[in-house]
Amino acid sequence: MKTQTDKHEINQQLTFQDAQQTSITLHALTLTLTQQNSQLIASTLTLTLPPQTYQHIDNNALFNLNPSLRLPLTNGNFHPSPNIQIEAILKPEFLPHLQPHATTAETAATYLANLDSSTPNPLLNTENWLALSVTQVQETGETGYRTFWSYLTPEALSLTDTSGEQLSQGVAQFFQDIFGSSFEAATENFTNESLAAISDVFQGINLNVPEVAPPQPSAKQPILQAILSFFTEDDWSFQKITSEPAVRLAFEGENGKWNCYAKAREEQQQMVFYSLCPVVVPSDKRRAAAELIARANYGLIVGNFELDFKDGEIRYKTSIDVEGESLNSNLIKPLVYANVMMMDEYLPAIEAVVEGKLSPEEAISSLE
């Protein structure tokens, strides 16, 4: 079977109505059509909207944004700006309303843009679209989440896969990702309500949802996932490092701003957190800095300073070993905050020694 995809930039306002016939006007960026043997099997819209409008959509679960059918946010919470994008796919049973006007994506977009918003139309009803993803591009990178509906192919949604195999695969993959990415979020959010929400949609298109039992999560979640969960729950902005199991963060204290790293050591069941001093020690000051660090470390209970003699980098390290136990936010929080507080406290002393204003002994005495 031949499948073709046609995408068109709309850049026009579309006025939708919700289940209570309340109007909401959104800016449509693109419309994408997927056809199989000249038969329309999918229509996808990309919408952009301010965070305040998204909050209304989120609170009312418009575009079928059921909270129980979402993966966790990937990179922290949404910010008050910039705009948020929603990608949504039209429910298959409403495709016949668009098919006569869908010679191309451009003609379909023109048809949608010219619909009379005062007359109810199933193509502009929020209940008839399934949100696939919600994203926001921030200074630290993109954050957002996928929904269950993004796991289904157009063939699965449109009933062209009569065996239901692709639907089963989508359900199974969603279960795997939501349990694998956040055990706590999965057990809290993926309940009978989730299955009911899926069943409601598929009953509408006369398809039975395959009975897929959710996998039993292990007693311990991965170290990296515990780290991601903590920084998401604690409202930190962070960036996941693709080359290693770690995240990068920025912290600003009373005495300066610096980068931090949280690293998972899965095999050893350990977490390490570093604050990287914003001051790089020049070669002629490294012996003095080493003395300062030795004096600072003596008596420290939680964590320690480290100096790399090769490049002059100073960092503060805190770590924890949870072999046989499960890492959670209650264990991570004191590890992180003790770390950044120590770097903030000692930063003026480090600067004073590097700049030659105080000896290491004097710098430590100034803190006391």
Side-chain angles (χ1 to χ4, degrees):
M1 291 184 289
K2 186 177 181 181
T3 301
Q4 292 181 316
T5 300
D6 185 18
K7 184 176 182 179
H8 177 69
E9 294 186 5
I10 304 178
N11 284 323
Q12 292 195 37
Q13 302 293 101
L14 295 180
T15 300
F16 292 85
Q17 290 185 324
D18 60 21
Q20 286 72 44
Q21 301 304 308
T22 301
S23 296
I24 178 171
T25 300
L26 306 172
H27 189 82
L29 293 177
T30 62
L31 174 71
T32 303
L33 300 181
T34 302
Q35 300 202 25
Q36 195 172 80
N37 295 335
S38 301
Q39 180 69 31
L40 185 63
I41 64 169
S43 175
T44 307
L45 271 175
T46 303
L47 307 165
T48 181
L49 50 143
Q52 296 84 352
T53 305
Y54 167 72
Q55 195 62 54
H56 169 75
I57 292 173
D58 185 32
N59 291 341
N60 294 278
L62 304 185
F63 297 97
N64 290 277
L65 270 173
N66 191 308
S68 63
L69 296 180
R70 309 176 187 179
L71 267 65
L73 283 161
T74 56
N75 191 22
N77 294 329
F78 292 126
H79 290 175
S81 64
N83 279 357
I84 289 174
Q85 280 195 187
I86 295 178
E87 184 181 15
I89 189 168
L90 185 65
K91 287 184 179 180
E93 63 263 40
F94 298 101
L95 287 172
H97 293 269
L98 189 61
Q99 175 80 54
H101 315 282
T103 306
T104 64
E106 182 177 3
T107 60
T110 301
Y111 174 73
L112 287 178
N114 291 331
L115 286 174
D116 185 357
S117 59
S118 63
T119 304
N121 189 295
L123 295 177
L124 292 180
N125 189 307
T126 61
E127 299 300 299
N128 300 337
W129 293 83
L130 304 170
L132 304 174
S133 64
V134 179
T135 57
Q136 183 187 56
V137 178
Q138 304 172 352
E139 291 184 359
T140 56
E142 183 180 274
T143 189
Y145 58 87
R146 292 175 63 187
T147 73
F148 167 77
W149 311 114
S150 68
Y151 285 77
L152 304 183
T153 64
E155 291 81 2
L157 273 172
S158 65
L159 303 182
T160 55
D161 173 35
T162 55
S163 69
E165 179 180 354
Q166 293 180 359
L167 175 58
S168 298
Q169 291 175 350
V171 174
Q173 186 62 52
F174 177 73
F175 271 118
Q176 178 181 335
D177 286 355
I178 196 169
F179 276 87
S181 64
S182 176
F183 168 59
E184 293 180 356
T187 54
E188 177 181 351
N189 295 328
F190 205 92
T191 61
N192 290 334
E193 180 185 351
S194 309
L195 295 175
I198 297 172
S199 297
D200 286 345
V201 170
F202 284 112
Q203 286 171 3
I205 56 175
N206 298 318
L207 182 65
N208 294 320
V209 179
E211 294 183 1
V212 180
Q216 294 299 316
S218 61
K220 295 190 298 181
Q221 65 175 324
I223 300 294
L224 180 59
Q225 184 50 49
I227 293 172
L228 295 174
S229 297
F230 167 75
F231 287 115
T232 300
E233 295 164 6
D234 211 47
D235 202 24
W236 286 63
S237 293
F238 62 88
Q239 182 178 7
K240 188 176 178 182
I241 301 174
T242 57
S243 59
E244 57 180 324
V247 298
R248 180 188 296 110
L249 316 95
F251 182 84
E252 185 170 4
E254 294 182 2
N255 298 313
K257 183 177 182 179
W258 60 88
N259 289 326
C260 304
Y261 290 87
K263 185 174 182 179
R265 305 183 76 219
E266 300 289 354
E267 185 175 346
Q268 296 83 2
Q269 289 294 286
Q270 296 170 345
M271 171 191 168
V272 187
F273 187 81
Y274 294 105
S275 277
L276 271 58
C277 181
V279 177
V280 177
V281 184
S283 57
D284 62 329
K285 296 292 183 180
R286 288 175 193 169
R287 289 192 177 276
E291 180 184 343
L292 172 70
I293 284 177
R295 290 179 179 273
N297 282 339
Y298 184 77
L300 288 180
I301 304 299
V302 179
N304 63 278
F305 283 98
E306 298 176 340
L307 169 64
D308 188 337
F309 261 92
K310 293 181 181 179
D311 59 14
E313 179 186 80
I314 293 177
R315 63 188 184 183
Y316 194 81
K317 176 184 71 179
T318 48
S319 59
I320 188 171
D321 188 312
V322 292
E323 185 176 359
E325 303 294 336
S326 180
L327 185 63
N328 56 54
S329 295
N330 291 332
L331 297 175
I332 296 175
K333 189 167 187 175
L335 192 78
V336 170
Y337 282 96
N339 186 302
V340 295
M341 288 174 62
M342 293 301 292
M343 178 59 77
D344 196 45
E345 179 181 352
Y346 280 86
L347 184 55
I350 296 172
E351 292 173 336
V353 170
V354 170
E355 294 169 5
K357 296 179 180 179
L358 296 174
S359 69
E361 185 177 3
E362 290 170 337
I364 291 296
S365 298
S366 69
L367 297 176
E368 298 172 351

